Amino acid sequence: MKKVYLQVHFSRSSFGHMRAIIVSEAGGPEVLQLQERPALRPGPGEILVDVRAAGVNFFDVGIRRGKVAEVPGMEGAGVVAAVGEGVDEFVSGERVAWLTIETHASYAEQIVLPAAHVVAVPDAIDDETAAAVLLQGLTAHHHCTVCHPVQPGDITLVHAAAGGVGLLLTQLIKARGGTVIGLVSRPEKVEVAAAAGADHLVISTGEEFVEPVLELTGGEGVHAVFDGAGGPTFAGSLKVLRTHGTMVFYGPLIGDVPSIAMNAIPRSTRLTYGTLPDHIGTREELVGHAAELFALVEKGELVVRIGGRYPLAEAARAHADIESRTTTGKLLLLP
């Protein structure tokens, strides 16, 4: 039964304007500028949402560097301000979260979204958690349930284990009975990854992790590697796979794309490139997988770490911080 919201909800659209982060030109973090824009209105099949939290991702850095979108931001959570013609699944005042993989535009006080890209947020989950878990949580879910369905006893290597995807991936792998060797770039990230459940931690940049990982596995290698780093680690990730192991590659989001001859892939290993749109290709898949994640969060089996909160006006600082690779967990913009 559809919930009835009795409170009066005032939207920013009532004032005729809203603010958004605009990519003024391709470049560094400094090109992210806060500008005032006309208030938005939903069209048929769309909803207007007042944004309460927007996720910051490495992918957004690539969008900024190439000026792929005028307003960055692929995910967020907020409150429905208005619904367009033909929308009957959501009502004004309802809390929702979303993914905008192709259209972006979440770095703003308001966003207009196709209703098909939106999911309702359970009452027990706050806005920040909802904004932080959807994109990276669904990515991690795809990797360990489809790209390499982790089985009890599997030994895995998770790159960037203290990052947003890495922390969620570690927890999901552990829930499926796997062992996690977590790879982090700095000593101060060890404690964060260990708290998420990583069984072993290796501090490494480049390919320095190869020897320690082989030592931890008695020379056999791991059943699966989850690598979003790209060129600097790709060859090393292949070296630590055991026979018939799986390389789940999901990067680089920015930087060089590695190239490799097929006959250079060792030990009859499998190579897969996991992309999120293939995991949520239908409305039913989006709603179903999001519900799984929300249920895990509600039960305390999936903990979402917020690594940094920034006012919308400080999006440039958030980008500088995420590019520095010193952050852990999820970064959020709070309009």
Side-chain angles (χ1 to χ4, degrees):
M1 180 180 294
K2 176 61 68 177
K3 296 178 181 178
V4 177
Y5 292 81
L6 300 178
Q7 75 270 26
V8 178
H9 178 68
F10 293 98
S11 166
R12 295 184 181 94
S13 60
S14 303
F15 301 96
H17 66 270
M18 64 94 175
R19 299 183 303 166
I21 294 294
I22 307 300
V23 180
S24 58
E25 59 182 314
E30 71 280 355
V31 305
L32 298 174
Q33 300 180 358
L34 185 67
Q35 294 185 12
E36 191 171 288
R37 312 296 296 277
L40 304 174
R41 293 184 179 181
E46 296 178 333
I47 64 173
L48 172 67
V49 180
D50 287 339
V51 181
R52 287 184 172 175
V56 179
N57 297 283
F58 258 110
F59 197 92
D60 301 338
V61 174
I63 297 300
R64 185 203 75 221
R65 290 180 177 180
K67 199 182 179 183
V68 177
E70 184 179 34
V71 179
M74 300 172 63
E75 62 179 335
V79 178
V80 177
V83 300
E85 181 182 353
V87 176
D88 56 12
E89 187 174 354
F90 300 101
V91 297
S92 180
E94 189 168 3
R95 296 173 57 243
V96 295
W98 62 86
L99 292 176
T100 55
I101 295 174
E102 296 181 356
T103 56
H104 309 283
S106 297
Y107 286 16
E109 291 179 332
Q110 288 185 329
I111 186 171
V112 167
L113 298 152
H117 294 174
V118 178
V119 296
V121 175
D123 292 339
I125 296 179
D126 61 75
D127 297 322
E128 291 188 4
T129 300
V133 75
L134 205 55
L135 189 148
Q136 292 182 335
L138 289 173
T139 297
H141 185 271
H142 182 220
H143 293 342
C144 68
T145 64
V146 178
C147 295
H148 176 82
V150 173
Q151 303 300 312
D154 277 3
I155 303 173
T156 66
L157 175 65
V158 175
H159 284 258
V165 173
L167 289 172
L168 298 175
L169 187 55
T170 294
Q171 294 175 74
L172 292 174
I173 291 171
K174 293 298 296 179
R176 294 176 66 88
T179 294
V180 175
I181 301 173
L183 188 64
V184 296
S185 60
R186 299 168 181 266
E188 57 267 28
K189 295 186 178 185
V190 167
E191 185 177 350
V192 174
D199 299 278
H200 309 280
L201 275 303
V202 175
I203 303 169
S204 170
T205 56
E207 293 188 26
E208 297 170 1
F209 63 90
V210 173
E211 185 175 342
V213 171
L214 290 176
E215 183 177 343
L216 284 168
T217 58
E220 290 189 34
V222 298
H223 293 87
V225 176
F226 299 90
D227 185 350
T233 59
F234 189 84
S237 291
L238 290 175
K239 292 176 183 176
V240 301
L241 281 174
R242 65 177 59 196
T243 302
H244 302 302
T246 304
M247 168 73 158
V248 181
F249 179 63
Y250 60 102
L253 301 178
I254 55 176
D256 297 329
V257 177
S259 61
I260 187 169
M262 289 303 294
N263 60 5
I265 298 178
R267 294 176 296 283
S268 300
T269 50
R270 293 178 290 270
L271 173 62
T272 179
Y273 182 57
T275 60
L276 182 56
D278 294 327
H279 196 50
I280 51 172
T282 66
R283 168 72 179 161
E284 291 71 25
E285 288 175 332
L286 171 62
V287 172
H289 293 325
E292 288 183 56
L293 288 178
F294 288 150
L296 289 172
V297 173
E298 287 183 283
K299 290 185 290 186
E301 296 178 8
L302 187 64
V303 178
V304 180
R305 177 185 174 89
I306 308 300
R309 299 171 176 84
Y310 304 78
L312 182 63
E314 297 183 16
R317 183 166 66 90
H319 272 227
D321 287 349
I322 201 171
E323 285 183 274
S324 73
R325 299 187 182 273
T326 59
T327 62
T328 60
K330 186 72 176 186
L331 305 188
L332 295 176
L333 296 179
L334 305 178

